């Protein structure tokens, strides 16, 4: 994915741009959210004050020398970007580094009493326990009466539109309305929109890549009301023998407000098992699948890297190469999959994912500028109806698939 004039890396320094609003407005809001969530002590409060000032007015600073991942982040870019403005480096990098510095400020990596305490956990739990989650789980009872193929499609779309339940996205003024809706709101949005809510749909190709054998990797995005439909989809595929094994890739530590960690997977499973009706059946299937190894959880360090997947390490590349299909969920993972660049929207998805070591699918609601794989008529209709708001509003989504593995290098 060369840095050509037609696909420059997205920065945060353009006045009025969406990336700049995230750096200048959303990140301060997240700092305040974290302050309000826990009774942090004076040292943490001072560290949060310093981070607020630094990320809005200052320059990038390296991690403390005794940070457990100091050397890793140095290799990932702090040696290169230290001393530069947060706005002048790749937006994917600066956004990711903000969350790492936030964990530093609240003492997540310790040592101390706050070590390992997820600063976003209260927001995640509130969403998981919300009445909307009860309503979505109750809908499973009716779904169980449908044929397996219809259930599969419904669960796929639930996983897709569940990506709207993104806690960080809700803090953005542009996404406040759309971000509060889950999968149930997708159908009404699709029926009312002047252009289809689903701007690309390769779902038939996706299903064709899932025989009755093999391993499905699902690279999760958010916890809570997005993770639950992801888990429901995996439970159905395992139960229907569409796959033999599922590997759920989550984050090794908190990241981007609502990103899923192992603790969030456990919370979601407990929520399912404790629910009435069909939801509990799905929960018990998942619990059993984890116990016998058909469902495993993977927390690779690269999941929290500020880099595109084109730069993934060899061990992760080997895992994806061995999978029958890898499904990449969510907006951030899409940016990492195709490269966080200003691609022409009609740039073929297969071209920008040709490096990926096996078949890959993206399920994503549109909440940032990057986009590939649209046909020209769809792009024209979107622009005519909405200007450029369709890129970031969370009201449109896509299912994109590249089904052919690249030939091995000679």
């Amino acid at each position: 994915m060369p840095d050509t004039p037609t696909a420059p890396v997205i920065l945060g320094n353009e006045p009025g741009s969406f990336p700049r609003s995230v750096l200048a407005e959303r990140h301060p809001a997240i700092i305040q959210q974290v302050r309000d969530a826990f009774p942090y002590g004076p040292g943490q409060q001072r560290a949060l004050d310093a981070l607020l000032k630094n990320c809005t007015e200052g320059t990038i600073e390296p991690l403390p020398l005794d940070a457990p991942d100091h050397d890793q982040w140095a290799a990932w870019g702090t040696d290169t970007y230290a001393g530069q403005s947060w706005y002048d480096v790749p937006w994917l990098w600066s956004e990711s580094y903000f969350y790492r510095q936030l964990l530093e400020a609240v003492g997540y990596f310790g040592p101390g009493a706050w070590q390992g305490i997820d600063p976003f956990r209260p927001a995640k739990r509130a969403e998981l326990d919300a009445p909307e989650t009860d309503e979505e789980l109750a809908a499973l009872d009716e779904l169980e009466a449908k044929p397996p193929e219809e259930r599969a499609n419904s669960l796929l779309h639930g996983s897709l539109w569940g990506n709207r339940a993104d806690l960080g996205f809700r803090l953005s003024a542009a996404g406040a309305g759309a971000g509060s809706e889950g999968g149930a709101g997708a159908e009404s949005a699709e029926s009312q929109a002047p252009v289809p809510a689903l701007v690309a749909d390769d779902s038939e190709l996706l299903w064709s890549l899932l025989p009755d054998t093999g391993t499905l990797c699902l690279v999760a995005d958010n916890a809570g009301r997005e993770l639950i439909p992801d888990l429901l989809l995996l439970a159905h595929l395992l139960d229907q023998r569409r796959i033999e094994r599922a590997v759920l890739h989550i984050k090794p530590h908190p990241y981007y407000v609502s990103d899923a960690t192992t603790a969030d997977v456990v919370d979601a499973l407990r929520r399912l098992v404790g629910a009435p009706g069909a939801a509990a059946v799905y929960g018990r299937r998942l619990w059993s699948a984890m116990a016998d190894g058909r469902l495993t959880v993977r927390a690779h360090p690269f999941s929290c890297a500020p880099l595109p997947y084109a730069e993934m390490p060899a061990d992760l590349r080997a895992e994806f190469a061995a999978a029958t299909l890898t499904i990449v969920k969510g907006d951030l993972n899409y940016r990492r999959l195709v490269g966080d660049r200003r691609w022409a929207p009609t740039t073929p998805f297969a071209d920008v994912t040709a490096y990926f070591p096996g078949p890959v699918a993206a399920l994503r609601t549109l909440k940032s500028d990057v986009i590939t794989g649209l046909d020209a008529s769809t792009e024209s209709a979107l622009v005519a109806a909405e200007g450029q708001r369709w890129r970031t509003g969370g009201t449109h989504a896509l299912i994109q698939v590249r089904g052919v593995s690249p030939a091995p290098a000679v």
Side-chain angles (χ1 to χ4, degrees), residues 8 16 49 58 86 94 103 129-130 164-165 169 203 239 274 281 298 302 312 320 330 360:
D49 287 339
W86 290 77
S94 59
L103 293 181
D129 295 336
R164 299 172 94 174
F169 183 63
S203 54
D239 182 64
V281 176
R298 181 83 161 97
F302 192 77
M312 74 180 88
F320 291 146
V360 63

Side-chain angles (χ1 to χ4, degrees), residues 81-147:
Y81 298 131
Q84 298 186 46
S85 167
W86 290 77
Y87 298 91
D88 294 337
V89 304
W91 180 45
L92 174 64
W93 196 95
S94 59
E95 195 177 12
S96 301
Y97 194 55
F98 165 78
Y99 287 100
R100 175 58 186 87
Q101 288 285 38
L102 182 61
L103 293 181
E104 192 67 28
V106 299
Y108 179 86
F109 290 104
W114 291 90
Q115 185 179 49
I117 302 298
D118 183 349
F120 310 124
R121 182 171 172 78
K124 293 176 180 178
R125 286 295 316 181
E127 182 190 83
L128 198 60
D129 295 336
E132 292 84 354
T133 305
D134 291 322
E135 296 169 8
E136 290 164 1
L137 293 181
L140 290 171
D141 294 339
E142 182 179 346
L143 186 63
E144 282 302 282
K146 306 294 184 183

Side-chain angles (χ1 to χ4, degrees), residues 288-306:
S288 175
M290 291 194 72
D292 64 25
R294 287 176 296 130
L295 171 60
T296 58
V297 177
R298 181 83 161 97
H300 195 284
F302 192 77
S303 295
C304 289

Side-chain angles (χ1 to χ4, degrees), residues 206-219 233-234 237-238 241-249 289 292-298 316-328 356-361 403 405:
L206 186 153
W207 292 127
S208 74
L209 295 171
L210 292 178
D212 57 1
T213 59
T215 297
L216 172 67
C217 287
L218 192 151
V219 182
L233 176 62
L234 294 181
L237 295 176
L238 287 166
R241 307 289 199 276
R242 294 296 299 266
I243 54 174
E244 289 181 325
R245 182 169 177 263
V247 181
L248 181 66
H249 285 254
D292 64 25
R294 287 176 296 130
L295 171 60
T296 58
V297 177
R298 181 83 161 97
L316 187 58
R317 176 175 290 274
E319 288 187 39
F320 291 146
T324 305
L325 175 67
T326 297
I327 295 178
V328 175
F356 203 84
V360 63
S405 301

